[in-house]
Structure formats: C-alpha cells, structure tokens
Amino acid sequence: MKVVLLAGGRGTRISEESEYLPKPMIEIGGMPILWHIMKEYSHYGFHDFIICGGYKQHIIKKWFADYCFYTSDIEFDFLHGNQMNVYNRKAEPWKVVVADTGLNTMTGGRIKRVQKYIGEETFMMTYADGVCDADLKSLLEFHRSHGRTATLTSVIQKQAKGTLDISYDHSVKSFREKRTKDAVAINAGYMVLEPEIFDDIKDDKTIFETDVLEKLAREGRLMSYQHNGFWQCMDTLLEKNTLEELWESGNAAWKQWNE
C-alpha cells in the first residue's frame, strides 16, 4: 500500500530553519523529521512512499539520491586511481517517489497531482511534520471495517488545530479548522483514503482540510480513528526543540522500530 506524505509547504511558523530547508527536512536527532515518519510506517510494513514536494523540493530529492552514502561507510582511495568504495551499506527497504507538486499548490491539489502514482488503490496519507505512536495496522483495519471514503486519526489536544465533532459511532459530523483552543479532538493526520477521494478534489487551489474533509463530514463519508497515545506536530521552533529533547533523552514515543 502506498503512503502519501505532504511535504510541500513553506513552514513559515518555523522560519528560523525553513528559510534554508523544507520543513520536512528539519532534523530531529540528526535525521529529517520526514525520515522519522517514514520509519514509523516502515515499522508496520508500509514501504512504498510518494512524497509531495514543493518548497525547496530539490533538497528532498538530493537527500534521497545520497541516502546510501549518508548511511554507509565510504572509503576514498586517492592512492589507487581515485577509487571510492562503499562499506557497511545500510538502507531501508523503501520505494520512494519525490514528486514536484508545485510551489503554491494547496494540500488537496498536491494529492490530486500524484494520482497517477496511486491509481485506483486505497492509500495512506499524512503530513510530513508530525510524529505519533499510533498502531498503523489497526488504523488500516478500522478503515476497512466501515467502508467510508476516508479515515483520519484524531487525538485530544489543547491546541488551535482542526477541531472535530465526532459521534458515538466514530463518524465525523463536522470538521472545523483552527477555531478553538479548547481540549478537543483534532485532526492528527495519519489518514487512510479511498481512490474516490480524487473526485472530491477540483484543482491546485483545493484545500484538503476545508474543501474536502468538511464536505466528507457533511456527507457522512469521514470516520475518526481515535488515538490515545503520543502525537506531536512540528509547527514551531519550540515544538521542534521539544521533539529533539525527547529523542535525546530516549523518550521518543514514536520510535517503535529497532535499529
């Protein structure tokens, strides 16, 4: 199953670092947060990724092009014909498409632009700036159990994020983006989507959260998978430093994989 990662935004609220890097390439523990998210999915057996690049997307492409060198030992032998030898080669079992989905394309438009790489298959999708310890296989099983168009992962947070009104049967009745600071269920990403979702995306200007998710909620086609564990986005430098501290202290709850 393919995993789509939205990695094209400018990251203006963390401009201290995103001025030089796309936000998904900002490092936690010496590796981009994008890598951490991919490791989460890979831990549960999802290895086929489509990265929706935009702002400074060439940096993401270059990082993957050089990934083998980053994770291996390299010998540069200038004594014998300028040879280069690679030892202790390490690389995850990943297939990665990094797609240029445009500099100013909205989130829905980015998803629409990679439709050709997905085809008519169910796929997973999340934002490339947040980590969690949700059981992604259980998320997929829940999605398959209800037969709706989309499932998003919800968490309880006291933040101004996308507010959800969830009924007793886990269907999402309404989706309100960033209008309250109360402790409520919010959209944490980590979604499962049916290919019919492409019919709900008009063009590059379509905002997935307001134009698509709100429509799905009104039509009874959006379900919530409630996650009661760890989730943290990286919108600001403070949140980036919080994730860094958790990683360095050995308390990174999202790190469920073994080295």
Side-chain angles (χ1 to χ4, degrees), residues 70-138:
Y70 295 146
T71 58
S72 304
D73 298 332
I74 308 295
E75 176 188 67
F76 300 95
D77 187 350
F78 302 120
L79 295 176
H80 303 92
N82 295 330
Q83 297 180 11
M84 183 180 73
N85 300 304
V86 181
Y87 302 113
N88 195 27
R89 187 186 297 263
K90 298 178 182 177
E92 276 72 18
W94 293 343
K95 178 182 177 182
V96 183
V97 172
V98 182
D100 182 0
T101 57
L103 182 61
N104 298 311
T105 308
M106 297 293 102
T107 47
R110 294 191 190 282
I111 297 170
K112 183 77 169 181
R113 284 207 186 191
V114 298
Q115 180 178 3
K116 60 186 175 183
Y117 299 116
I118 298 168
E120 296 300 318
E121 302 177 8
T122 304
F123 64 101
M124 307 183 89
M125 189 278 285
T126 196
Y127 307 99
D129 63 355
V131 289
C132 78
D133 62 353
D135 185 326
L136 300 178
K137 280 191 175 180
S138 293

Side-chain angles (χ1 to χ4, degrees), residues 29-86:
M31 297 297 280
I33 192 169
L34 177 65
W35 175 88
H36 289 261
I37 297 166
M38 294 171 71
K39 290 285 282 187
E40 293 175 31
Y41 278 97
S42 190
H43 173 71
Y44 286 101
F46 304 107
H47 309 297
D48 195 347
F49 298 96
I50 301 168
I51 299 172
C52 299
Y55 175 69
K56 297 186 182 294
Q57 50 87 29
H58 64 282
I59 295 177
I60 301 176
K61 291 175 178 175
K62 187 177 188 306
W63 190 86
F64 279 103
D66 295 338
Y67 183 60
C68 179
F69 297 103
Y70 295 146
T71 58
S72 304
D73 298 332
I74 308 295
E75 176 188 67
F76 300 95
D77 187 350
F78 302 120
L79 295 176
H80 303 92
N82 295 330
Q83 297 180 11
M84 183 180 73
N85 300 304
V86 181

